[in-house]
Structure formats: structure tokens, C-alpha cells
């Protein structure tokens, strides 16, 4: 019986629209909650039976973003790779940190979505001029339909759309209208009210997926940096390999 059920689930996945999830941010350092968001979203879409999630991408921001506590992109990329060693489907992309300057979130979404869909539509023998980037989800050519890349974020990013001068309205419209948002919010938050109060978000609310995280985790990168700079333990708050890397590189004013 279980084999038949698994077979039916696989057939259903072949019919569902394909999406990938991307999270953009500092990741200085990356915490388990950054990755839990992916798992929560994937479980949601699987339970709803509306989309097939083919992969997850983590894109650390460029060094020129100049946010407090931001260490070099090479360090953040290395920590992400270490933290994601156990994941079979979430990968990290260094495209953003390799650019000459800070890149708008919309451009990050467009680049990765276009790359995936150009690969799906390119001649099989070409393989996009050689080696594929490490962030590419596997098996994209098993189907000919394209993949939509959705921005995975917390409710705080959704609310940042209202901060004057932080986002261009055209960018918000393109992100929500052409890609879509997957918003993970803590229990008790009210993202629906925020969407209702925004004419632009209400216009595209069918492209906004709201998911409640029922297992809250308040550990933030800011809190981790504070503990490290004070010489206090962050064991069990970060992946051991990330802790070892921080200590080895002396990041965040680490006191060994």
C-alpha cells in the first residue's frame, strides 16, 4: 500500500507547477532558523499539494551593503556551505557577492530564475558552457516547463516594504507580481493586516503565501554576534562547523 501511495505522490509532483525558493540577506553568521524557513515552506507546499519545490537557494548580500556586523562575503559564503552540508536540497549561491557592487533583490531573483529556465530550454549537448553552478537544483530537465523562483522571507521583510525610500515601488511590484513571496511569520503576527493596508500588496496578494511558524526560534545573527564578542558560548545555537570556522578566522571579535 505504501508503495502505491509513494507512486501517486510522485505522479502528483510531476503535474504540479515547479517552484524554487530563494532567501537573500546578510547571514552574518547563518543561524539554523535561516534554514528552518526553507523546511517549513517546503512542508507547507507539500501538505497543500499546490506546488513542487525543486530546490532552495541562499544568496548572501554583497560586502558593500555595509550593514553592522557584516563580515566579508567569502567568510559568509564559507559558513553557509559548512552549515548546509547536511542538506540535500538547500544550496548557497555566491553570484551576489561576486558582483562589482550591491545588487537589488529583484536582480538577484531575475538572474537565478533566468539561469534555471535558460538551462531547461537550452540544447542538451550545450549544458550552458560547461559546469553548472553549485546552487542549481538537480533534475531540472526532467520536465520542460519552467521554474518560478519565489522570495522566501520573514514578516519583517514584508513590513520593510512600507519603509519610505527603502524599496522602489516598481521593484516591489516586479518581485511580488512576477515571482511571489513566501512569508514565514511567528504565531501572533498579523501579516494579513499589513497586506490589507497596502494597495500594492493587496493587488498581488494571490502571489503571497503566508505560513505560520508554530515552533518559534528567536535566535538571531545579532544575538549570536553579541555572545561571541563577549566570549560566551554559542554551542547548540549554531552548527559546530560554523563555530569552528568563526573561531579559526577570529570573526565577530571572537575571544578564544
Amino acid at each position: 500500500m505504501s508503495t502505491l501511495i509513494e507512486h501517486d505522490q510522485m505522479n502528483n509532483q510531476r503535474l504540479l507547477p515547479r517552484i524554487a525558493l530563494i532567501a537573500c540577506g546578510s547571514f552574518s553568521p547563518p543561524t539554523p532558523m535561516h534554514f528552518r524557513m526553507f523546511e517549513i515552506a517546503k512542508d507547507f507546499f507539500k501538505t497543500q499539494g499546490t506546488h513542487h519545490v525543486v530546490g532552495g537557494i541562499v544568496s548572501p548580500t554583497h560586502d558593500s551593503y555595509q550593514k553592522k556586523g557584516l563580515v566579508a562575503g567569502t567568510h559568509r559564503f564559507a559558513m553557509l556551505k559548512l552549515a548546509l552540508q547536511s542538506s540535500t536540497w538547500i544550496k548557497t549561491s555566491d553570484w551576489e557577492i561576486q558582483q562589482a557592487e550591491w545588487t537589488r533583490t529583484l536582480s538577484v531573483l531575475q538572474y537565478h530564475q533566468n539561469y534555471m529556465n535558460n538551462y531547461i530550454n537550452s540544447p542538451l549537448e550545450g549544458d550552458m558552457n560547461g559546469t553548472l553552478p553549485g546552487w542549481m537544483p538537480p533534475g531540472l530537465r526532467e520536465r520542460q516547463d519552467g521554474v518560478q523562483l519565489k522570495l522566501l522571507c520573514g514578516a519583517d521583510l514584508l513590513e520593510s516594504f512600507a519603509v519610505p525610500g527603502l524599496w522602489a515601488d516598481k521593484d516591489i511590484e516586479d518581485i511580488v507580481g512576477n515571482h511571489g513571496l513566501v512569508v514565514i511569520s511567528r504565531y501572533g503576527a498579523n501579516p494579513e493586516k499589513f497586506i490589507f493596508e497596502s494597495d500594492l500588496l493587496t493587488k498581488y496578494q494571490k502571489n503571497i503565501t503566508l505560513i505560520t511558524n508554530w515552533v518559534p526560534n528567536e535566535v538571531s545573527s545579532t544575538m549570536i554576534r553579541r555572545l561571541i564578542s563577549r566570549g560566551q558560548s554559542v554551542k547548540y545555537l549554531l552548527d559546530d562547523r560554523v563555530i569552528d570556522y568563526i573561531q579559526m578566522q577570529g570573526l565577530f571579535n571572537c575571544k578564544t
Side-chain angles (χ1 to χ4, degrees):
M1 177 67 77
S2 61
T3 307
L4 283 173
I5 293 172
E6 289 170 3
H7 182 70
D8 287 343
Q9 288 175 340
M10 288 179 66
N11 281 337
N12 288 339
Q13 284 185 350
R14 291 194 184 101
L15 299 173
L16 295 174
R18 298 192 295 177
I19 60 171
L21 306 171
I22 188 168
C24 301
S26 300
F27 308 106
S28 187
T31 72
M33 193 57 209
H34 288 135
F35 313 127
R36 274 297 302 160
M37 289 172 62
F38 284 90
E39 298 289 343
I40 293 166
K42 188 178 183 183
D43 280 347
F44 177 85
F45 287 114
K46 183 178 179 181
T47 302
Q48 294 293 309
T50 55
H51 296 82
H52 174 43
V53 178
V54 297
I57 306 165
V58 183
S59 180
T61 191
H62 193 271
D63 289 351
S64 62
Y65 187 59
Q66 295 183 333
K67 186 177 180 180
K68 184 180 179 182
L70 191 71
V71 297
T74 51
H75 288 314
R76 290 179 285 121
F77 182 70
M79 288 188 285
L80 283 164
K81 289 197 75 172
L82 288 169
L84 287 169
Q85 279 184 11
S86 64
S87 177
T88 58
W89 69 282
I90 310 169
K91 308 296 180 184
T92 186
S93 166
D94 65 350
W95 179 81
E96 200 174 342
I97 60 176
Q98 295 291 348
Q99 301 310 297
E101 57 187 6
W102 173 79
T103 309
R104 288 155 44 232
T105 301
L106 175 61
S107 299
V108 178
L109 285 162
Q110 289 172 334
Y111 169 79
H112 288 87
Q113 177 167 291
N114 290 343
Y115 198 104
M116 286 188 288
N117 289 327
N118 287 341
Y119 169 72
I120 292 168
N121 296 320
S122 65
L124 287 176
E125 65 273 10
D127 265 356
M128 304 280 288
N129 300 320
T131 318
L132 294 173
W135 58 264
M136 280 275 280
L140 289 179
R141 284 177 170 166
E142 290 174 2
R143 286 166 44 175
Q144 292 182 320
D145 57 310
V147 173
Q148 184 180 37
L149 183 61
K150 291 181 175 286
L151 180 61
L152 177 67
C153 63
D156 53 343
L157 186 141
L158 180 72
E159 292 172 6
S160 76
F161 286 163
V163 177
L166 189 61
W167 295 84
D169 284 350
K170 179 69 168 62
D171 279 15
I172 297 174
E173 187 157 17
D174 282 345
I175 289 171
V176 185
N178 297 327
H179 294 277
L181 294 177
V182 179
V183 183
I184 311 294
S185 62
R186 62 177 62 87
Y187 172 72
N190 194 359
E192 294 92 346
K193 182 174 184 290
F194 183 80
I195 292 170
F196 172 77
E197 291 173 347
S198 165
D199 291 340
L200 184 55
L201 294 179
T202 298
K203 179 181 177 181
Y204 295 106
Q205 62 182 335
K206 65 179 175 50
N207 291 342
I208 304 175
T209 304
L210 301 176
I211 306 172
T212 300
N213 173 21
W214 297 103
V215 187
N217 182 333
E218 301 300 328
V219 177
S220 66
S221 296
T222 302
M223 188 184 298
I224 293 293
R225 293 195 302 270
R226 183 176 298 134
L227 291 173
I228 292 172
S229 68
R230 293 174 180 175
Q232 296 177 334
S233 171
V234 292
K235 191 169 178 63
Y236 309 118
L237 297 178
L238 293 182
D239 186 289
D240 282 347
R241 287 163 292 203
V242 174
I243 296 174
D244 291 343
Y245 183 89
I246 289 170
Q247 292 174 342
M248 184 175 65
Q249 300 293 333
L251 304 179
F252 311 117
N253 299 314
C254 175
K255 294 176 174 64
T256 54

